[in-house]
Amino acid sequence: MGAWGYDAFENDEANDWAAALVEGTGLRLIEDALAAVEACGADEVRARLAVEALAACEIVARLLGRPAALNAYPRTVDAWAAANPNPVSPALQARAIACVDRVARAPSELRELFEGTPWLNSVAELRSRLQSDR
């Protein structure tokens, strides 16, 4: 995985996933990314699945009107979210929060890869933006 930072879109795989989202329509790709992590259950969440799920959760946060600090990487995603104002159901919001929690705890290959870095803080910040009390 080519990563240059700790945020959801600061790696090649998340940006590749985002390109597929921008080319498609609707929330199906987001739901598929969450479902892939949910299907892991108690087994290890592989890094690629975790990266795609965190990118999906970041989109959910954007659709809720709670984007991360803007930078150059997710510009196409921001444009897609603005052009596709899909409503976020409480169920999808809850799934996104649960997915962030699952990726952040062991066994998670991405957590293991980023152990001892600010990655966990980035994930916690994403989770806080997904919560409804914000």
Side-chain angles (χ1 to χ4, degrees):
M1 174 178 68
W4 53 88
Y6 306 108
D7 292 334
F9 292 107
E10 292 183 336
N11 64 76
D12 293 332
E13 289 178 2
N15 283 290
D16 290 346
W17 179 89
L21 173 78
V22 170
E23 292 170 7
T25 59
L27 298 175
R28 184 84 231 151
L29 195 61
I30 293 168
E31 292 173 354
D32 289 348
L34 300 180
V37 169
E38 292 165 345
C40 292
D43 294 337
E44 180 178 57
V45 177
R46 303 297 298 170
R48 182 186 59 77
L49 296 179
V51 163
E52 291 175 357
L54 290 177
C57 292
E58 187 61 58
I59 301 296
V60 171
R62 280 169 162 71
L63 292 172
L64 288 167
R66 303 172 192 149
L70 300 178
N71 62 42
Y73 305 115
R75 275 198 190 132
T76 57
V77 168
D78 292 333
W80 180 89
N84 296 279
N86 294 291
V88 175
S89 69
L92 180 60
Q93 184 178 4
R95 286 179 68 204
I97 291 168
C99 190
V100 169
D101 290 344
R102 178 61 189 89
V103 167
R105 75 173 184 268
S108 168
E109 185 180 26
L110 197 59
R111 180 186 171 107
E112 185 178 312
L113 288 170
F114 284 121
E115 194 71 39
T117 71
W119 176 80
L120 203 51
N121 293 336
S122 176
V123 172
E125 192 274 333
L126 169 58
R127 188 187 194 287
S128 74
R129 287 185 289 109
L130 287 166
Q131 289 181 305
S132 61
D133 62 347
R134 193 168 166 196

